[in-house]
Amino acid sequence: MKELKDNIKILTIMTGINLLVLWNFISSGKTKHGIGYFVFFYIAIFIIHYFTKKLAPKIEIEVKEPKKELSIATLFSILGLVFLALNFLQKSDIIQNIAVLKIPILLGMFLFSFPLGVFIYLLFRKYKILQLGLKLKPVTYLFLGVIIWGLTGIFAYLFNKSGIIWKEGLEELGGISGIIIKGIIGAALVEEFSRFVIQSRFEKLFKTSGINILFATTIWAFMHFPVTYFKGVDSLNTTIYCIQIIPIGFIWGYLTHRTKSILPATLVHGLNLWGFQNG
């Protein structure tokens, strides 16, 4: 009960977001999917909390200058969003596809969208690579990642079976090797690293529990805005989609928060071809 009271603010905010997402599913005629997604959030959070309470992490996240590092990481993420948008504007021939513009845009994407810039900055701040979310003690937390991944699949099968995209994903990514290289390393690892840096620095600076995860997750969710918008989705529905993926992103962020490592969340995220968060 005490833990519930201590986290009542973030639980209230997340319930509001979940209800908004549920209403959108219902309005789209996908009530069953919406209910499943709603319930899944709370069960996943409970399992992560219970597992890590019984088996507490043996490491702590080292943060040297939370204010400066949070400012840099947030600024770089915003720049990453800008360069993603510029990249799609160029691909859509809205801006000229010429070398003098293309090279800076690609460089900006590598530095800010991936986010290589934050990684380099923290290395200059004398962080060791393993201090940047890559430690895992106990290793059993990888099993927790498998549990959350499997739970996502079970709920997807029960509540949105037609949305499962394993076949399409394997074809698009080029099989198992493609999932590992493009899905786990190329997408999930860089996104979870970025989220880890932001939410860990936010927590140290503002001494909050949960709001830091929501802050980092919201930035992550809206990094998907250019990708979705330039697929032909209007701005309103693109915004709704970004809000819709906040709950599952929060689960991944909470998994990192409780395990003090990005590795379990990277595994869950990289193998997430269940399509459960999609409308």
Short mmCIF file of all heavy atoms in Angstrom, two decimals, residues 149 163-170 173 179 268-276:
data_model
loop_
_atom_site.label_atom_id
_atom_site.label_comp_id
_atom_site.label_asym_id
_atom_site.label_seq_id
_atom_site.Cartn_x
_atom_site.Cartn_y
_atom_site.Cartn_z
N TRP A 149 8.50 -10.09 -22.73
CA TRP A 149 8.34 -10.32 -24.17
C TRP A 149 7.26 -11.37 -24.44
O TRP A 149 6.39 -11.19 -25.29
CB TRP A 149 9.68 -10.79 -24.76
CG TRP A 149 9.60 -11.21 -26.19
CD1 TRP A 149 9.54 -10.39 -27.28
CD2 TRP A 149 9.56 -12.55 -26.69
NE1 TRP A 149 9.47 -11.14 -28.44
CE2 TRP A 149 9.48 -12.47 -28.10
CE3 TRP A 149 9.59 -13.80 -26.09
CZ2 TRP A 149 9.42 -13.60 -28.92
CZ3 TRP A 149 9.55 -14.93 -26.89
CH2 TRP A 149 9.46 -14.83 -28.28
N GLY A 163 -2.96 -8.67 -35.74
CA GLY A 163 -1.94 -7.62 -35.81
C GLY A 163 -0.52 -8.12 -35.64
O GLY A 163 0.43 -7.34 -35.77
N ILE A 164 -0.34 -9.41 -35.33
CA ILE A 164 1.00 -9.97 -35.14
C ILE A 164 1.77 -9.92 -36.46
O ILE A 164 1.26 -10.36 -37.49
CB ILE A 164 0.91 -11.41 -34.60
CG1 ILE A 164 0.29 -11.40 -33.19
CG2 ILE A 164 2.29 -12.06 -34.56
CD1 ILE A 164 0.05 -12.78 -32.61
N ILE A 165 2.99 -9.38 -36.41
CA ILE A 165 3.71 -9.09 -37.66
C ILE A 165 5.03 -9.86 -37.76
O ILE A 165 5.98 -9.40 -38.41
CB ILE A 165 3.98 -7.58 -37.78
CG1 ILE A 165 4.74 -7.06 -36.53
CG2 ILE A 165 2.70 -6.81 -37.97
CD1 ILE A 165 5.20 -5.62 -36.65
N TRP A 166 5.11 -11.04 -37.17
CA TRP A 166 6.35 -11.80 -37.23
C TRP A 166 6.73 -12.17 -38.67
O TRP A 166 7.88 -12.03 -39.06
CB TRP A 166 6.24 -13.06 -36.37
CG TRP A 166 6.63 -12.79 -34.96
CD1 TRP A 166 5.80 -12.49 -33.92
CD2 TRP A 166 7.96 -12.76 -34.42
NE1 TRP A 166 6.52 -12.26 -32.77
CE2 TRP A 166 7.85 -12.43 -33.04
CE3 TRP A 166 9.22 -12.98 -34.96
CZ2 TRP A 166 8.96 -12.33 -32.22
CZ3 TRP A 166 10.33 -12.87 -34.14
CH2 TRP A 166 10.19 -12.55 -32.78
N LYS A 167 5.78 -12.62 -39.45
CA LYS A 167 6.06 -13.03 -40.83
C LYS A 167 6.58 -11.84 -41.64
O LYS A 167 7.61 -11.93 -42.32
CB LYS A 167 4.81 -13.61 -41.48
CG LYS A 167 5.04 -14.11 -42.90
CD LYS A 167 3.77 -14.69 -43.51
CE LYS A 167 4.01 -15.15 -44.94
NZ LYS A 167 2.76 -15.69 -45.55
N GLU A 168 5.86 -10.72 -41.55
CA GLU A 168 6.25 -9.53 -42.30
C GLU A 168 7.59 -8.99 -41.81
O GLU A 168 8.44 -8.55 -42.59
CB GLU A 168 5.18 -8.45 -42.17
CG GLU A 168 3.83 -8.81 -42.76
CD GLU A 168 2.94 -9.59 -41.80
OE1 GLU A 168 3.47 -10.10 -40.78
OE2 GLU A 168 1.73 -9.69 -42.06
N GLY A 169 7.78 -9.04 -40.47
CA GLY A 169 9.01 -8.53 -39.88
C GLY A 169 10.22 -9.33 -40.31
O GLY A 169 11.28 -8.77 -40.63
N LEU A 170 10.08 -10.64 -40.32
CA LEU A 170 11.19 -11.50 -40.74
C LEU A 170 11.56 -11.25 -42.19
O LEU A 170 12.74 -11.23 -42.56
CB LEU A 170 10.83 -12.97 -40.52
CG LEU A 170 10.89 -13.48 -39.07
CD1 LEU A 170 10.22 -14.84 -38.94
CD2 LEU A 170 12.34 -13.56 -38.60
N LEU A 173 13.18 -7.60 -42.42
CA LEU A 173 14.49 -7.47 -41.77
C LEU A 173 15.51 -8.46 -42.31
O LEU A 173 16.70 -8.34 -42.03
CB LEU A 173 14.34 -7.64 -40.26
CG LEU A 173 13.51 -6.55 -39.55
CD1 LEU A 173 13.29 -6.93 -38.09
CD2 LEU A 173 14.19 -5.19 -39.65
N ILE A 179 16.97 -9.49 -37.66
CA ILE A 179 16.33 -9.09 -36.41
C ILE A 179 17.39 -8.70 -35.39
O ILE A 179 17.26 -7.70 -34.68
CB ILE A 179 15.44 -10.22 -35.85
CG1 ILE A 179 14.18 -10.36 -36.72
CG2 ILE A 179 15.06 -9.96 -34.40
CD1 ILE A 179 13.25 -11.46 -36.27
N VAL A 268 13.51 -7.11 -25.17
CA VAL A 268 12.06 -7.06 -25.35
C VAL A 268 11.69 -6.18 -26.54
O VAL A 268 10.85 -6.56 -27.37
CB VAL A 268 11.36 -6.52 -24.07
CG1 VAL A 268 9.86 -6.44 -24.27
CG2 VAL A 268 11.69 -7.40 -22.87
N HIS A 269 12.32 -5.03 -26.62
CA HIS A 269 12.04 -4.06 -27.68
C HIS A 269 12.45 -4.61 -29.05
O HIS A 269 11.70 -4.55 -30.03
CB HIS A 269 12.78 -2.76 -27.37
CG HIS A 269 12.47 -1.62 -28.27
ND1 HIS A 269 12.87 -0.33 -28.01
CD2 HIS A 269 11.81 -1.57 -29.46
CE1 HIS A 269 12.47 0.46 -28.99
NE2 HIS A 269 11.84 -0.27 -29.89
N GLY A 270 13.65 -5.16 -29.11
CA GLY A 270 14.18 -5.63 -30.39
C GLY A 270 13.42 -6.81 -30.96
O GLY A 270 13.38 -7.00 -32.18
N LEU A 271 12.81 -7.61 -30.09
CA LEU A 271 12.04 -8.79 -30.54
C LEU A 271 10.53 -8.52 -30.55
O LEU A 271 9.74 -9.43 -30.65
CB LEU A 271 12.35 -9.99 -29.64
CG LEU A 271 13.78 -10.52 -29.68
CD1 LEU A 271 13.96 -11.64 -28.69
CD2 LEU A 271 14.16 -10.98 -31.09
N ASN A 272 10.18 -7.24 -30.46
CA ASN A 272 8.76 -6.89 -30.40
C ASN A 272 8.14 -6.84 -31.80
O ASN A 272 7.97 -5.78 -32.39
CB ASN A 272 8.57 -5.54 -29.70
CG ASN A 272 7.11 -5.18 -29.59
OD1 ASN A 272 6.26 -6.01 -29.25
ND2 ASN A 272 6.79 -3.93 -29.90
N LEU A 273 7.82 -8.01 -32.30
CA LEU A 273 7.12 -8.11 -33.58
C LEU A 273 5.70 -8.61 -33.35
O LEU A 273 5.09 -9.24 -34.22
CB LEU A 273 7.87 -9.04 -34.53
CG LEU A 273 9.23 -8.51 -35.02
CD1 LEU A 273 9.94 -9.54 -35.85
CD2 LEU A 273 9.06 -7.21 -35.81
N TRP A 274 5.17 -8.30 -32.19
CA TRP A 274 3.79 -8.70 -31.86
C TRP A 274 2.78 -7.69 -32.41
O TRP A 274 1.61 -8.03 -32.55
CB TRP A 274 3.64 -8.81 -30.35
CG TRP A 274 4.55 -9.79 -29.69
CD1 TRP A 274 5.51 -9.53 -28.76
CD2 TRP A 274 4.62 -11.20 -29.95
NE1 TRP A 274 6.15 -10.70 -28.38
CE2 TRP A 274 5.64 -11.74 -29.11
CE3 TRP A 274 3.92 -12.08 -30.79
CZ2 TRP A 274 5.96 -13.08 -29.09
CZ3 TRP A 274 4.26 -13.42 -30.76
CH2 TRP A 274 5.26 -13.92 -29.93
N GLY A 275 3.21 -6.47 -32.66
CA GLY A 275 2.30 -5.48 -33.20
C GLY A 275 1.19 -5.06 -32.26
O GLY A 275 0.20 -4.46 -32.69
N PHE A 276 1.36 -5.35 -30.96
CA PHE A 276 0.26 -5.14 -30.02
C PHE A 276 -0.03 -3.66 -29.78
O PHE A 276 -1.16 -3.27 -29.51
CB PHE A 276 0.60 -5.84 -28.70
CG PHE A 276 -0.55 -5.95 -27.75
CD1 PHE A 276 -1.82 -6.30 -28.21
CD2 PHE A 276 -0.39 -5.75 -26.39
CE1 PHE A 276 -2.89 -6.43 -27.34
CE2 PHE A 276 -1.46 -5.87 -25.52
CZ PHE A 276 -2.70 -6.21 -25.99
#
